[in-house]
Amino acid sequence: MTATSGFSLFRRRNRSIIPGFGLTLGITLTHLTLIVLIPLAALMLRPWDIGLSGFINQVTEPRVLAALRLSFGTAFAAAAVNAVFGLAVAWMLVRYDFWGKRVVDAIVDLPFALPTAVAGIALTSLYAPNGWVGQFLEPLGIKVAYTPLGVVVALTFIGLPFVVRTVQPVLEELDTELEEAAACLGASRLETFIRVIFPVIFPALLTGFALALARGVGEYGSVIFIAGNMPMVSEIAPLLIVIKLEQFNYAGAASVGIAMLILSFAMLLVINLLQRWTRRWAGV
Amino acid sequence: MSGHAPKSRVATNEPAWVKALIMLAALGFLGFFILLPLAAVFTEALRRGVGAYLEALVEPDALAAVKLTLLVAVIAVPVNVVFGIAAAWAIAKHKFPGKSLLLTLIDLPFSVSPVISGLVYVLLFGAHGLLGPFLREHGIQIVFAVPGLVLATMFITFPFVARELIPLMQAQGVEEEEAAITLGASGWQTFRRVTLPNIRWGLLYGVLLCNARAMGEFGAVSVVSGHIRGETNTMPLHVEILYNEYNFVAAFAVASLLAILALVTLVAKSLLEWRHGAELAATARRH
């Protein structure tokens, strides 16, 4: 890869004899600018109507803070659930042989393919007090639908493939000789897993966790049906953007949007640093 | 692919009870979060029998929603295919500074909430948006109309084809194209006769995923649609309206069509991975 030296150098001669560079790069940059960059710039410009103090007022409203806390908290919880069970699924798919394995492997991607609104109403019907799952939880005093717990359930569904699909290839490439060596040196299977296998797959596990988290924070379609959307309790940040937009509070909507982007970015930065640190620590 | 340990290597196997526990946890998890929701969609849709199910599907508003969903996909997907091929050609076959920045920008829509993807177009083209007054003067309606739906869908599905083709064409290198050019082929001939046959399965794979997302997108189109029945309602939005009207059978009937689309996509995707895995970037990366 060549050094990144900014846009001004884009047109520097490239010595390839393959034609079409100007045309294809032109199409790429035009499409990118029109569809992605200009609209995102509009998002960044909008809150200047109300100034920095206006922006801070908008995002420190108790209702906005509650929504941001809910969105990030539930996404974190769902990503954690996915880290544990996703690792189990990836381990099963790589290490064990069983009947129907290919189908199980394929169906892991369903949350990528199923429209979020469909997932939302399906999960709501399952976890409603009279639903297939909800009717067994109701006597135990556990309410899932129309509570923050329902949000976690929806985000767990949405984030399910991320951990599996990032850990799976790393597990596949893992050399079993290391495990044999560990076993020969007297390590128990659990010790081998903790000391030999886990350090190698941990960076991938973190990546999957981060992807599931990022997706969960912004998720809308699958959540709004099951959440019940009670202000201050089960109202997610993306929904608050929609509500502010419906009230024609454009600056407010853009402010919440920017706050979400900043928080997501900061979170991913922390995870990235953590990942680098664990990589160095594991010597991978 | 399956790197499972043979029976002789007992040292790298878990005790049977641990294995059983892991499988129980993994399969139970998938059952609860994937099979049950899928079963629920079809059960709820057929709750009042096949007659009511079909009736809900041929209802005029439902048909309008199906048509609109197809229309949006028919515009958004080819545009993103052209963009994806152009981006992959520029990035994979040429050297230029700023490449990694460009790759990051192409990935941008993946890290933005769907609601924000819709929001940016309302801020730009809405009645109170930056260009709102200009558009009103000229009688152009973008938000709360079909162009807005198309734009939001293009934003959301922007990276799919490019993300599949770029690593694939990078892995394939430039030798074949250089040979064709040296032998006197034009750029277009080289693309059609050399590059396209090499990337066709990868392209199909990208189109498949792009299309599934384009037809199923909810958050972004919900913000720009305005929810006008029979006019700016795509299938996922129609599901929401029916559901909020407590018309559950109809909501799940339309949802079942989308679920079938998802299942067909998964089957086609798996077939591509099994048959043409070596010609896909996705299976090389297992993403």
Side-chain angles (χ1 to χ4, degrees):
Chain A
M1 188 114 345
T2 42
T4 316
S5 5
F7 278 104
S8 56
L9 290 172
F10 257 142
R11 290 183 185 281
R12 210 174 65 183
R13 265 191 76 72
N14 87 89
R15 253 163 274 137
S16 167
I17 61 160
I18 299 174
F21 176 66
L23 176 72
T24 53
L25 190 65
I27 294 176
T28 306
L29 291 181
T30 310
H31 194 56
L32 183 72
T33 308
L34 288 180
I35 298 293
V36 178
L37 298 182
I38 291 179
L40 279 179
L43 174 72
M44 294 298 163
L45 288 177
R46 191 69 208 197
W48 298 130
D49 292 4
I50 51 174
L52 186 63
S53 61
F55 172 77
I56 291 172
N57 277 342
Q58 286 287 342
V59 297
T60 50
E61 256 177 45
R63 193 170 164 192
V64 175
L65 286 179
L68 287 172
R69 207 177 300 133
L70 179 75
S71 273
F72 282 86
T74 50
F76 197 87
V81 171
N82 272 321
V84 174
F85 285 93
L87 178 60
V89 172
W91 186 270
M92 173 182 80
L93 288 174
V94 174
R95 292 295 174 99
Y96 303 149
D97 260 332
F98 55 93
W99 186 83
K101 179 168 160 175
R102 278 186 151 188
V103 176
V104 174
D105 193 9
I107 212 155
V108 166
D109 281 333
L110 185 80
F112 281 156
L114 193 70
T116 51
V118 179
I121 61 170
L123 288 170
T124 310
S125 82
L126 284 177
Y127 289 93
N130 58 350
W132 289 351
V133 182
Q135 59 181 320
F136 297 108
L137 298 175
E138 179 84 352
L140 304 173
I142 305 172
K143 283 206 177 86
V144 178
Y146 319 123
T147 69
L149 199 56
V151 181
V152 177
V153 167
L155 296 183
T156 305
F157 172 85
I158 289 299
L160 196 154
F162 289 102
V163 172
V164 180
R165 292 305 185 220
T166 46
V167 173
Q168 207 176 356
V170 180
L171 270 181
E172 266 163 13
E173 274 164 33
L174 198 65
D175 204 344
T176 43
E177 276 174 23
L178 286 175
E179 294 168 45
E180 282 166 35
C184 290
L185 291 171
S188 73
R189 190 67 188 141
L190 185 64
E191 274 176 320
T192 309
F193 181 80
I194 294 172
R195 298 268 187 95
V196 178
I197 302 172
F198 196 70
V200 180
I201 57 174
F202 189 62
L205 197 61
L206 260 183
T207 305
F209 177 84
L211 290 173
L213 183 63
R215 176 73 207 266
V217 166
E219 178 54 23
Y220 177 71
S222 60
V223 176
I224 52 162
F225 296 100
I226 201 169
N229 306 328
M230 261 191 314
M232 306 296 295
V233 179
S234 60
E235 185 180 60
I236 53 166
L239 178 66
L240 206 52
I241 293 180
V242 173
I243 291 173
K244 283 184 185 287
L245 214 48
E246 277 166 3
Q247 298 164 342
F248 298 104
N249 181 1
Y250 282 21
S255 300
V256 178
I258 290 176
M260 279 179 69
L261 287 181
I262 293 173
L263 285 173
S264 307
F265 185 73
M267 214 169 49
L268 291 181
L269 200 69
V270 170
I271 290 173
N272 225 321
L273 290 174
L274 194 65
Q275 210 169 19
R276 251 184 230 176
W277 181 73
T278 52
R279 268 216 183 100
R280 204 174 305 153
W281 171 70
V284 202
Chain B
M1 259 210 345
S2 58
H4 66 281
K7 279 218 171 75
S8 58
R9 284 201 241 146
V10 183
T12 56
N13 270 340
E14 290 81 50
W17 66 271
V18 175
K19 184 178 164 179
L21 211 63
I22 291 175
M23 290 211 35
L24 192 71
L27 289 175
F29 183 63
L30 293 179
F32 256 87
F33 280 96
I34 292 194
L35 290 186
L36 269 186
L38 208 52
V41 171
F42 291 100
T43 317
E44 295 286 337
L46 294 166
R47 180 152 287 210
R48 296 228 187 88
V50 181
Y53 174 75
L54 292 176
E55 215 167 278
L57 292 183
V58 296
E59 188 247 346
D61 284 344
L63 284 181
V66 173
K67 266 185 219 152
L68 184 61
T69 299
L70 292 176
L71 175 71
V72 169
V74 159
I75 301 171
V77 174
V79 170
N80 278 336
V81 166
V82 171
F83 157 75
I85 292 174
W89 185 270
I91 290 172
K93 305 288 179 192
H94 299 271
K95 286 190 184 128
F96 58 92
K99 211 186 247 191
S100 47
L101 176 65
L102 184 57
L103 281 169
T104 310
L105 290 178
I106 288 174
D107 271 350
L108 212 53
F110 275 156
S111 45
V112 173
S113 167
V115 168
I116 295 179
S117 316
L119 169 70
V120 294
Y121 288 104
V122 177
L123 294 179
L124 205 53
F125 300 122
H128 303 271
L130 289 176
L131 300 176
F134 172 82
L135 293 171
R136 200 169 41 238
E137 260 172 45
H138 293 79
I140 305 169
Q141 178 102 17
I142 292 183
V143 170
F144 306 146
V146 177
L149 297 175
V150 174
L151 283 173
T153 306
M154 277 207 277
F155 183 102
I156 288 286
T157 57
F158 183 79
F160 279 92
V161 179
R163 274 263 288 229
E164 170 63 25
L165 288 185
I166 291 169
L168 180 65
M169 280 165 70
Q170 271 174 339
Q172 286 172 347
V174 292
E175 285 94 6
E176 290 183 41
E177 280 83 4
E178 279 176 353
I181 298 285
T182 314
L183 291 171
S186 72
W188 177 242
Q189 280 174 322
T190 309
F191 172 72
R192 276 217 31 218
R193 303 269 182 85
V194 179
T195 310
L196 201 55
N198 279 340
I199 61 167
R200 58 189 166 172
W201 299 116
L203 185 60
L204 185 60
Y205 192 90
V207 168
L208 209 62
L209 298 186
C210 183
N211 179 62
R213 188 65 198 266
M215 290 188 169
E217 178 50 30
F218 178 78
V221 292
S222 161
V223 174
V224 296
S225 124
H227 306 277
I228 309 165
R229 271 184 102 124
E231 274 182 53
T232 61
N233 247 351
T234 61
M235 282 162 78
L237 298 176
H238 195 55
V239 169
E240 184 198 18
I241 289 193
L242 292 170
Y243 190 86
N244 287 341
E245 286 171 351
Y246 302 101
N247 192 350
F248 294 133
V249 169
F252 278 100
V254 178
S256 75
L257 288 185
L258 290 166
I260 291 169
L261 171 76
L263 290 175
V264 169
T265 304
L266 275 191
V267 170
K269 174 177 165 294
S270 304
L271 282 179
L272 275 177
E273 282 169 3
W274 297 339
R275 296 264 172 85
H276 304 284
E279 296 159 75
L280 296 178
T283 35
R285 286 176 295 137
R286 277 294 338 194
H287 185 71

